[in-house]
Amino acid sequence: MARIAGVDLPRRKHVAYALPYIYGIGQATARIICQKANVPPTKRVEELTDAEVRALREVIEADFKVEGDLRREVQMNVKRLMDLGCYRGLRHRRGLPVHGQRTHTNARTRKGPRKGMLARRPAGAAAKG
C-alpha cells in the first residue's frame, strides 16, 4: 500500500486519480507530479514499485505544500482576515458566504439548517391556561 504525505492511497485506482486523495493535490497537479516522477499516470497504485513511490514522495515534498502544512496555512490566512476585521473576515466570523453569494435564499451550507419562525399570537389574544 502506498502511503504518501500521511495518506493511504486507494490501491486499485490509477495513480493520477489516487493522488488527489491528498489534501492540496488536484487532477492537474497529479498529472504534473506523475510527469516529474516519470511514473505513467495510468499505472495502478498497487502496481507501483518502491522506487516509483519514493520518486512520487520526493516530488511532492520538494515542490508542493500538502496536508498538515497547507491546512495550517489556510487556517492562519482565515484567522488573519478575522483579526484584521475586514469584510471577508467578518463573513468568516459570522459563518456566512465570503465570495459575494446571495443569502436571502440558498447559502444553507454556510448558514446551517433553517431556524424557522416562532409561532406568534395576535396582539389582543390572552394566553390560554
Side-chain angles (χ1 to χ4, degrees):
M1 178 178 294
R3 187 170 176 84
I4 299 176
V7 176
D8 292 327
L9 298 181
R11 298 174 53 93
R12 297 181 187 260
K13 292 197 179 218
H14 290 250
V15 176
Y17 294 102
L19 284 175
Y21 278 72
I22 300 171
Y23 183 80
I25 296 178
Q27 290 288 327
T29 311
R31 288 193 189 94
I32 292 168
I33 291 169
C34 289
Q35 189 176 18
K36 286 184 178 180
N38 293 324
V39 175
T42 55
K43 197 170 195 179
R44 297 197 184 271
V45 173
E46 61 190 358
E47 299 168 355
L48 291 175
T49 64
D50 290 339
E52 289 172 330
V53 173
R54 195 176 318 109
L56 288 170
R57 193 175 294 130
E58 287 171 0
V59 168
I60 290 172
E61 288 175 3
D63 299 343
F64 299 98
K65 189 177 283 193
V66 293
E67 282 300 321
D69 294 336
L70 182 60
R71 289 179 200 269
R72 196 173 308 108
E73 182 178 327
V74 170
Q75 285 298 326
M76 291 303 293
N77 289 341
V78 171
K79 185 178 182 313
R80 178 179 51 81
L81 290 172
M82 288 167 50
D83 291 343
L84 284 173
C86 64
Y87 182 77
R88 282 173 57 201
L90 295 176
R91 303 297 284 184
H92 274 291
R93 194 178 303 153
R94 293 179 185 160
L96 294 170
V98 178
H99 295 288
Q101 298 92 329
R102 66 180 290 133
T103 57
H104 177 70
T105 59
N106 304 332
R108 291 277 44 119
T109 301
R110 285 291 301 201
K111 291 168 73 174
R114 290 198 175 115
K115 293 170 180 66
M117 294 290 293
L118 296 174
R120 292 187 182 196
R121 274 185 288 213
K128 294 181 181 177

